[in-house]
Amino acid sequence: MTETWSPTDRAVVRLPSGRLIRGRGLRRPRPDGPEPEFGVYLLGRLPPPVAWESRWLRWPDFRLPADRRQARDLLEEVWRRADHERVELACEGGIGRTGTALACLAVLDGVPSDRAVAFVRGQYHPRAVETPWQRRYVRRFGQAE
């Protein structure tokens, strides 16, 4: 059986469905505990290699994903895989882009889009989703097809 993330770890967000997703900043050392089975790295440049399956989503700092369709597809994959795998999302600082992606996952999990930022700020980091356009992206994410 796969060892899961610890739901008591502050970096781990528990979605209403029970899915656990670890958010983190790549500037900090990797947390203790099991390695991810799947990672998504939200960066403006290619991320460093990792020992687990991973994907890169081009997402410049303080901005939005370069390809929003790719972002939605990838976040839907993260949501599906988090049901049975250890999944992590990370950007450089672990707050803005990671928080935005976590809020979008909360929307996919049934949190109303106008409550998703508050949900992630309460569960993950009080400053998650840093910019007005990131907050608007989360609200609109709930309206996408």
Side-chain angles (χ1 to χ4, degrees), residues 58-111:
R58 188 171 178 283
W59 192 330
D61 201 8
F62 297 106
R63 305 271 177 116
L64 298 175
D67 181 332
R68 297 200 188 151
R69 180 74 245 170
Q70 178 191 20
R72 184 168 191 92
D73 291 346
L74 191 50
L75 291 172
E76 287 175 353
E77 180 181 358
V78 165
W79 183 82
R80 284 190 305 275
R81 292 179 75 157
D83 186 45
H84 58 279
E85 293 179 68
R86 287 185 311 274
V87 179
E88 91 170 353
L89 292 171
C91 62
E92 286 295 329
I95 298 172
R97 293 168 284 182
T98 298
T100 301
L102 288 167
C104 290
L105 291 171
V107 170
L108 290 174
D109 206 62
V111 175

Side-chain angles (χ1 to χ4, degrees), residues 1-103:
M1 182 172 175
T2 298
E3 183 181 358
T4 62
W5 299 126
S6 169
T8 59
D9 182 340
R10 181 73 176 145
V12 175
V13 172
R14 179 186 291 277
L15 296 175
S17 65
R19 288 171 169 86
L20 300 174
I21 300 159
R22 181 172 73 189
R24 75 180 184 102
L26 295 174
R27 281 189 222 129
R28 291 185 282 285
R30 190 172 65 79
D32 292 335
E35 290 184 341
E37 294 170 294
F38 182 59
V40 174
Y41 302 99
L42 316 165
L43 300 166
R45 58 173 169 66
L46 194 63
V50 292
W52 47 87
E53 184 182 355
S54 66
R55 303 256 199 303
W56 169 46
L57 179 60
R58 188 171 178 283
W59 192 330
D61 201 8
F62 297 106
R63 305 271 177 116
L64 298 175
D67 181 332
R68 297 200 188 151
R69 180 74 245 170
Q70 178 191 20
R72 184 168 191 92
D73 291 346
L74 191 50
L75 291 172
E76 287 175 353
E77 180 181 358
V78 165
W79 183 82
R80 284 190 305 275
R81 292 179 75 157
D83 186 45
H84 58 279
E85 293 179 68
R86 287 185 311 274
V87 179
E88 91 170 353
L89 292 171
C91 62
E92 286 295 329
I95 298 172
R97 293 168 284 182
T98 298
T100 301
L102 288 167

